[in-house]
Amino acid sequence: MTSITLRRPDDLHLHLRDGESMRAVLPFTAARFARAVIMPNLRPPVTTTAHALAYRQRILDALPPQPTFEPLMTLYLTDGTDAAEVDRAKASGCIVGVKLYPAGATTHSDAGVTEMARVDGVLARMEERDLVLQVHGEVTDAEVDVFDREARFIDEVLAPLAARFPRLRIVFEHITTRAAVEFVLDARPGIAATVTPQHLLMNRNALFTGGIRPHHYCLPVLKSQSDREALLRAIASGDPRFFLGTDSAPHARSAKETPCGCAGIFSAHGAIELYAEAFESAGALARLEAFASEHGADFYRLPRNSGRITLIRTPWEVPRSYPFGSEDLVPLRAGEQIGWRLAETQ
Ligand code: DOR
Ligand code: ZN
């Protein structure tokens, strides 16, 4: 197959940042995806409906006129979130979920939740109003091995939470392990997961190929080859509980190439193309469209997009860096090739 045309996809997990950084990266996503769920871990975090609507407007103001693009907003859950905020979020019509960052789990998560019991009232209201909970699924205990934090989170936090709120719809974000795949497959209805391109295309060896590779560092961290294979089997199965969320997370080069570099991999410049590679490697290119353009929309109860994109199998070389405000950023595959190219968006 040398070309594929898909219903226009959605990115159900995206970090856009704000200001000139946002303006630098937004065109990559808008050229490919019709909608994206915009993560709220700004500084300060997007904790209220008013903040989210103002942020949404800044994104809309920064968009190129074509093709169409809709930001889907989400709120950052804190110990202090008021249950009435859930009502306001739902009433806005622009907010699709609330994001749980365990405090200290990742970039800009210090305002996150310190103890689940503190947000029980908010979760109960979300269940009642049917607002989706999006979960960064890692325990934060420094004693727990970094490669075990997702599996421990399932047992200690996620499984009990799903049982306590049996109608709460939950997206287990950026899953990385076989344990996470199995949890989703065995879970009650209303539980789904996003899968990133980096966790499909790389294992943890990619952090150390020829030396330390800060641009391959993200959270949750890359896992073993057998975990990666479990993710590939999950997406290749066509199960609708797995859908596209890039977790594209731009950081300036200076924040990555430093003694204590930030977590985050930027993939928006070639996101759907990278997924095409992953699906092709799994012998499942025919399943890409449902994963990218149907499962996520259906889970969020949004209409499927009407536009189309076409990818052609023509390798292209990714630039070594892209401008990022007054700095630059290093994209995934910098200086290397991606096997598929975006040819057209309608
Ligand atoms: O690698 C990551 N980067 N993981 C996250 O959870 C946050 C993200 C970011 O915002 O940079
Ligand atoms: Zn993220």
Side-chain angles (χ1 to χ4, degrees):
M1 201 183 294
T2 56
S3 131
I4 38 176
T5 296
L6 312 174
R7 181 187 293 279
R8 219 166 146 224
D10 297 310
D11 182 351
L12 284 314
H13 185 129
L14 177 68
H15 297 270
L16 266 188
R17 316 304 188 204
D18 207 348
E20 58 180 11
S21 303
M22 180 255 284
R23 288 192 289 277
V25 297
L26 176 61
F28 294 112
T29 293
R32 292 165 175 76
F33 297 95
R35 298 174 293 214
V37 173
I38 312 299
M39 288 296 142
N41 60 334
L42 304 181
R43 275 201 197 282
V46 180
T47 53
T48 66
T49 303
H51 286 151
L53 295 181
Y55 182 28
R56 177 175 180 272
Q57 192 58 49
R58 294 195 295 281
I59 297 167
L60 293 175
D61 291 345
L63 277 172
Q66 286 296 328
T68 58
F69 177 78
E70 186 186 356
L72 307 169
M73 308 311 290
T74 181
L75 299 185
Y76 187 119
L77 185 61
T78 74
D79 287 353
T81 301
D82 184 352
E85 200 58 57
V86 172
D87 302 338
R88 287 190 281 274
K90 189 75 188 183
S92 76
C94 299
I95 297 175
V96 297
V98 176
K99 177 78 187 279
L100 164 65
Y101 289 102
T106 187
T107 310
H108 301 173
S109 66
D110 32 306
V113 174
T114 61
E115 221 181 297
M116 288 311 293
R118 303 205 167 154
V119 293
D120 271 2
V122 180
L123 297 177
R125 189 68 64 89
M126 288 172 62
E127 183 176 48
E128 196 184 313
R129 295 267 184 264
D130 196 26
L131 206 55
V132 171
L133 179 70
Q134 300 142 338
V135 177
H136 182 111
E138 291 189 284
V139 294
T140 55
D141 183 348
E143 303 289 301
V144 177
D145 191 289
V146 69
F147 295 104
D148 295 337
R149 289 182 188 172
E150 183 173 276
R152 286 282 288 271
F153 184 88
I154 295 169
D155 296 338
E156 293 173 16
V157 183
L158 189 54
L161 178 92
R164 268 204 326 282
F165 300 96
R167 287 176 300 111
L168 180 63
R169 290 192 304 128
I170 301 173
V171 180
F172 191 177
E173 300 289 347
H174 42 54
I175 59 166
T176 62
T177 57
R178 187 170 65 189
V181 170
E182 285 171 0
F183 171 77
V184 172
L185 292 176
D186 293 342
R188 62 158 172 80
I191 294 186
T194 53
V195 190
T196 76
Q198 64 263 26
H199 294 105
L200 291 169
L201 291 166
M202 297 188 285
N203 64 37
R204 60 199 182 189
N205 286 347
L207 286 160
F208 307 108
T209 314
I212 188 105
R213 302 285 292 260
H215 299 291
H216 290 165
Y217 174 56
C218 63
L219 286 171
V221 72
L222 297 173
K223 296 298 192 305
S224 68
Q225 178 61 10
S226 68
D227 287 314
R228 180 182 161 229
E229 285 167 6
L231 298 179
L232 286 166
R233 280 195 302 274
I235 60 146
S237 75
D239 190 303
R241 291 170 290 183
F242 301 98
F243 51 79
L244 189 156
T246 61
D247 200 19
S248 179
H251 290 275
R253 176 202 294 275
S254 60
K256 298 280 295 175
E257 298 178 5
T258 178
C260 188
C262 292
I265 293 180
F266 179 72
S267 61
H269 63 295
I272 189 69
E273 301 90 320
L274 289 161
Y275 282 109
E277 273 191 14
F279 273 80
E280 189 172 36
S281 78
L285 206 48
R287 295 251 157 96
L288 173 64
E289 180 174 36
F291 173 84
S293 318
E294 297 172 5
H295 299 166
D298 295 353
F299 183 86
Y300 277 97
R301 301 186 177 148
L302 298 166
R304 294 178 182 176
N305 300 310
S306 55
R308 295 275 182 280
I309 61 168
T310 299
L311 305 178
I312 49 174
R313 196 209 301 228
T314 304
W316 57 288
E317 189 170 317
V318 175
R320 291 192 172 278
S321 73
Y322 288 110
F324 189 55
S326 57
E327 304 203 51
D328 69 339
L329 71 77
V330 178
L332 185 55
R333 293 273 175 91
E336 296 170 28
Q337 290 198 334
I338 295 181
W340 289 84
R341 175 193 280 274
L342 177 70
E344 197 182 4
T345 302
Q346 290 168 294

